[in-house]
Amino acid sequence: MYPPHLVAPMKEDLTGVGFQQLTTAEEVDQAMNNAEGTMLVVVNSVCGCAAGAARPGIKAALNASEIKPDKLVTVFAGVDYEATARMRDYLLPYPPSSPSIGIFKDGELVHFIERHHIEGRSAQMIAQHLEMAFEEFCEKA
């Protein structure tokens, strides 16, 4: 749906700080089947709330928090259809939402931030929310 050159910087916004970009259903399954420890999952998007709040908030939380997830993965809604659809299976019972952010612990979804929790909030608010979630669900290194 979106041209690759348009979304490349939006993908790089997360891959540049250590996220693994998952582009196929097989890659999603492989990541989820090797989900020991904690994993932060981001369903990335081209929308304004992804650019203005979600991605900056995620990066700020990862920078500020002493406690971080063990793995960072992302899929891109509207681009990597197969990967996004498969990831959304793992995010059930939550309805499709992009952007959205999930935390898995040993393969189990333990925390989820839907788009309506991102829209209208600042990057700082998203960062603070994630830092509290990291403290609750992730182990200190």
Side-chain angles (χ1 to χ4, degrees):
M1 180 170 165
Y2 300 106
H5 70 279
L6 175 75
V7 299
M10 298 172 206
K11 287 184 173 189
E12 172 65 25
D13 212 10
L14 294 179
T15 59
V17 295
F19 278 82
Q20 177 187 2
Q21 180 71 46
L22 307 175
T23 59
T24 67
E26 291 78 22
E27 289 175 348
V28 170
D29 287 338
Q30 185 175 40
M32 298 308 293
N33 290 331
N34 296 311
E36 282 186 29
T38 53
M39 180 167 42
L40 182 66
V41 172
V42 176
V43 179
N44 202 351
S45 171
V46 299
C47 73
C49 63
R55 291 191 302 266
I58 292 162
K59 293 188 303 183
L62 290 169
N63 269 340
S65 184
E66 290 181 30
I67 302 171
K68 298 175 177 53
D70 300 314
K71 297 177 186 171
L72 309 171
V73 300
T74 183
V75 297
F76 206 105
V79 176
D80 301 317
Y81 301 104
E82 182 185 316
T84 302
R86 183 62 53 88
M87 184 58 75
R88 286 180 170 155
D89 289 341
Y90 288 101
L91 295 170
L92 290 171
Y94 294 96
S97 177
S98 56
S100 60
I101 307 163
I103 298 176
F104 286 81
K105 187 166 189 168
D106 296 326
E108 180 185 342
L109 182 63
V110 294
H111 190 74
F112 191 65
I113 303 171
E114 297 177 82
R115 179 186 175 112
H116 70 266
H117 293 123
I118 297 170
E119 284 180 308
R121 290 175 174 79
S122 68
Q124 181 181 0
M125 291 171 76
I126 301 301
Q128 289 170 340
H129 181 140
L130 283 171
E131 287 177 60
M132 289 188 296
F134 294 167
E135 285 189 28
E136 183 174 351
F137 299 109
C138 300
E139 307 219 359
K140 205 168 197 170

